[in-house]
């Protein structure tokens, strides 16, 4: 059978998006592994399904390249907003998404009939170690000292359904992300489950710079939730303001931690790379 898909990129995350409202799909874990395999010329960080929802405008399901289902991805949710508007699944510019990480709200900014920019309210960060999970005695996992390889770090861990950790370094451009990212990812004494790793550099109170090591994948050109993790940690440590720009290899994201709601907002564009059909026999 043939499945129609859209490949989209949101300043770092490169996913395959599939309309699961109007298409019947085969075995989902196998399909996720298939469309995420770069040998097929599709290549992605995973598969996103747009599904019907009884509690929101749409339901978003996120599948990792290995076929396992994830809870939430901030960049993926922004691209879903562009997808549903540009493909005429909705004419709303305020869209709600049901995810395993909770209901997320999107604001779409339309230019010439298509979505040019998206603000995603990904909700309040989870900082309780019992819910991340992390091995620590702290009530909230902020500024935990740890030694990795030959260096001492201070680490903060957060979650919006997909656990991230962040540590601040002096020069993120010259930092050995591969060596330390892999070491942090497999630091089971601190993280019983593998974690995404954000290395951040403070430029000034309105500007952070980061590089991201994605668990099981390696360094990526960017990560929306990683950007949000860096900002929340920096605000908690009084290193930056609540509204900042985060530079990453894939491009800048504007991030704001709302003081009234406690929610984190991330704003940036999403791009359609190409659309096609793929033959599957699963």
């Amino acid at each position: 059978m043939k499945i129609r898909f859209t490949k989209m990129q949101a300043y770092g995350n490169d996913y395959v998006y599939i309309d699961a409202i109007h298409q019947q799909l085969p075995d989902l874990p196998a399909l996720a592994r298939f469309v995420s395999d770069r040998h097929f010329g599709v290549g992605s960080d995973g598969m996103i399904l747009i599904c019907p929802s009884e509690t929101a405008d749409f339901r978003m399901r996120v599948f990792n390249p290995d076929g396992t289902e994830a809870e939430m991805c901030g960049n993926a949710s922004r691209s879903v907003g562009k997808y549903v508007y540009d493909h005429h699944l909705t004419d709303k510019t305020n869209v709600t998404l049901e995810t395993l990480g909770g209901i997320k709200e999107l604001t779409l900014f339309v230019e010439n009939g298509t979505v040019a920019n998206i603000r995603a309210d990904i909700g309040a960060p989870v900082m309780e170690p019992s819910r991340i999970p992390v091995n620590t005695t702290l009530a909230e996992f902020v500024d935990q000292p740890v030694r990795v390889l030959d260096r001492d770090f201070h680490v903060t861990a957060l979650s919006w359904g997909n656990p991230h950790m962040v540590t601040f370094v002096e020069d993120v451009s010259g930092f050995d992300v591969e060596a330390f990212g892999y070491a942090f990812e497999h630091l089971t004494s601190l993280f019983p489950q593998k974690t995404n790793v954000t290395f951040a550099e403070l430029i000034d109170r309105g500007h952070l710079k980061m590089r991201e090591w994605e668990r099981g994948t390696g360094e990526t050109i960017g990560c929306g939730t990683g950007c949000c993790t860096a900002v929340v940690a920096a605000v908690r440590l009084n290193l930056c303001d609540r509204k900042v720009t985060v530079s990453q290899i894939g491009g800048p994201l504007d991030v704001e931690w709302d003081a009234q709601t406690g929610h984190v907002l991330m704003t940036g564009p999403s791009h359609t790379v190409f659309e096609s059909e793929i033959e599957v026999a699963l």
Side-chain angles (χ1 to χ4, degrees), residues 78-91:
R78 287 195 297 116
S79 287
V80 168
K82 179 174 175 62
Y83 184 100
V84 296
Y85 188 93
D86 290 358
H87 288 79
H88 309 294
L89 299 184
T90 185
D91 59 0

Side-chain angles (χ1 to χ4, degrees), residues 6 16 24 31 55 72 76 81 89 93 124 150 157 161 178 183 199 235 280:
T6 301
V16 169
Q24 294 295 318
L31 179 62
T55 59
M72 202 280 293
L89 299 184
T93 54
D150 59 347
E178 181 176 2
F199 299 101
V235 171
V280 298

